[in-house]
């Protein structure tokens, strides 16, 4: 079996070029040194770039054989003698910028078929409008009246429903279903996600549960990234909205009429019930659930595995089931620990 390289570097970068891209400052190193690869500290060797962001890895950092390392000013003294050193305020972010330049194919994703242009194996309605540079792979289906902007990739077996609008330089992954939606520019939707299907709306009653027609849309603003197997329901009588720059991890469920603010982060397996509103820069940890019709204020953070049943103020940090302020939860846990110790005569850790 051959050993393929899926993301080959676009070339080599000199020390000065790396520093410029990273927005950092060279504090040590020969101007002639260059890198063509990126590697973790423990695997890096000559010709590689690596970085230190977490102090947990200082011991490995001291031993790395990378040609160039990125780190904060606080850790320059820990860098190995043989490495050129670039100081950056945020080494992880600096590394990301260099990787975008060095591996453009990993930043601007291609479809699994790997060829640009409109495949003869795609099913495209005659009324579809495609701007120049759109790629549509085999098996993709694009419905009547849909519009897709320049540079967007529609991957194999994706389904774009009638009337859908997709902006420029986006990526629609394999087997994505996208319907009743307006999608902005530079939006990435990873494989298997379903967006715009019916919300879970029923008028409950003794004679059965009457389906409520879902007549809203899904509006996804610019620079949003949506992970694999995410489900986002369209609105029932208003739009479901995903704000600019928001990042959604795999297997998240977002109910109808939900409004997610700008630059939010939703980690894997989060569930948000209908008509809940998240302000800008909200972070929701993995496996958390939010009840319906709640308001979560700007910058609030909900810890992983929590269940939220009440409105959450701006800037708050809550945890637990039901979720409550971290300080309150911590006091409760300490009180419980003391009570167990007193009742049993031993320390429960």
């Amino acid at each position: 079996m051959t050993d393929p390289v899926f993301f080959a570097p676009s070339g080599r970068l000199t020390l000065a070029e790396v520093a410029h891209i990273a927005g950092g400052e060279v504090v040590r190193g020969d101007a002639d040194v260059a890198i063509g690869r990126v590697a973790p500290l423990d695997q890096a060797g000559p010709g590689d770039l690596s970085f230190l962001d977490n102090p947990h890895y200082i011991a490995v950092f001291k031993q790395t054989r990378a040609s160039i390392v990125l780190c904060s000013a606080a850790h320059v003294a820990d860098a190995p003698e043989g490495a050129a050193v670039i100081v950056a305020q945020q080494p992880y972010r600096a590394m990301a910028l260099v990787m975008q330049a060095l591996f453009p194919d990993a930043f601007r994703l291609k479809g699994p078929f790997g060829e640009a242009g409109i495949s003869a194996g795609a099913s495209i309605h005659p009324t579809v409008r495609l701007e120049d540079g759109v790629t549509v792979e085999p098996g993709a289906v694009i419905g009547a009246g849909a519009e897709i902007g320049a540079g967007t990739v529609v991957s194999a077996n994706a389904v774009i429903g009638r009337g859908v609008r997709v902006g420029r330089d986006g990526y629609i992954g394999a087997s994505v279903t996208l319907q009743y939606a307006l999608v902005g520019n530079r939006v990435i939707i990873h494989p298997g996600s379903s967006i715009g299907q019916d919300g879970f709306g029923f008028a409950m009653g003794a004679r059965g549960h009457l389906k409520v027609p879902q007549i809203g849309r899904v509006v996804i603003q610019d620079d949003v990234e949506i992970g694999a197997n995410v489900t986002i329901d369209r609105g029932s009588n208003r739009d479901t909205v995903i704000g600019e720059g928001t990042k959604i991890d795999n297997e998240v469920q977002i109910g109808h009429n939900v409004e997610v603010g700008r630059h939010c982060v939703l980690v894997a397996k989060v569930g948000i019930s209908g008509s809940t509103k998240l302000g800008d820069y909200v972070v929701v940890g993995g496996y958390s659930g939010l009840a319906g019709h709640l308001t979560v204020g700007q910058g609030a953070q909900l810890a992983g595995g929590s269940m939220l049943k009440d409105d959450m103020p701006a800037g708050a940090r809550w945890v637990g089931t039901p979720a409550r302020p971290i300080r309150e939860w911590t006091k409760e846990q300490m009180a419980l620990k003391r009570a167990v110790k007193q009742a049993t005569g031993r320390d429960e850790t």
Side-chain angles (χ1 to χ4, degrees), residues 49-284:
L49 170 71
S50 196
F51 76 109
L52 175 70
D53 185 62
N54 188 334
H56 178 77
Y57 298 102
I58 287 179
V60 184
F61 181 57
K62 291 179 178 179
Q63 301 297 321
T64 188
R65 298 173 58 243
S67 293
I68 302 176
V69 293
L70 288 161
C71 65
S72 67
H75 296 296
V76 170
D78 298 314
E81 291 186 6
V85 181
I86 297 172
V87 166
Q89 284 190 330
Q90 296 177 289
Y92 188 51
R93 188 178 185 89
M95 187 73 167
L97 291 169
V98 177
M99 291 180 69
Q100 288 181 9
L102 197 59
F103 300 96
D105 286 347
F107 180 62
R108 287 282 296 122
L109 296 172
K110 296 181 179 179
F113 196 65
E115 293 184 5
I118 311 300
S119 171
S123 298
I124 303 174
H125 193 276
T127 59
V128 169
R129 294 180 59 189
L130 303 177
E131 290 189 339
D132 293 341
V134 171
T135 291
V136 184
E137 293 198 325
V141 175
I142 306 179
E147 298 180 5
I148 301 177
T152 290
V153 174
V154 181
S155 297
N157 297 327
V159 176
I160 310 296
R162 59 184 176 83
V164 167
R165 304 291 190 266
V166 179
R168 295 171 176 166
D169 296 320
Y171 176 82
I172 311 300
S175 300
V176 165
T177 300
L178 182 60
Q179 52 187 334
Y180 308 107
L182 175 64
V183 180
N185 298 320
R186 300 174 300 279
V187 170
I188 296 172
I189 305 175
H190 289 282
S193 288
S194 296
I195 297 170
Q197 63 280 343
D198 276 8
F200 193 67
F202 299 90
M204 306 297 185
R207 292 181 294 175
H209 308 313
L210 182 66
K211 184 175 180 63
V212 178
Q214 306 290 289
I215 60 173
R217 308 175 297 179
V218 175
V219 177
I220 300 173
Q221 297 178 358
D222 294 347
D223 299 305
V224 168
E225 182 158 355
I226 297 170
N229 298 320
V230 170
T231 51
I232 303 176
D233 298 339
R234 70 175 182 271
S236 58
N237 53 15
R238 65 177 71 212
D239 293 336
T240 300
V241 179
I242 310 298
E244 173 189 358
T246 284
K247 310 304 180 187
I248 301 175
D249 199 359
N250 301 335
E251 298 185 341
V252 169
Q253 157 66 19
I254 297 176
H256 62 195
N257 300 348
V258 167
E259 296 180 18
V260 178
R262 299 177 304 119
H263 305 291
C264 293
V265 175
L266 309 179
V267 186
K269 295 185 182 294
V270 163
I272 304 178
S273 300
S275 299
T276 284
K277 297 182 180 181
L278 276 60
D280 298 340
Y281 294 94
V282 168
V283 177
V284 182

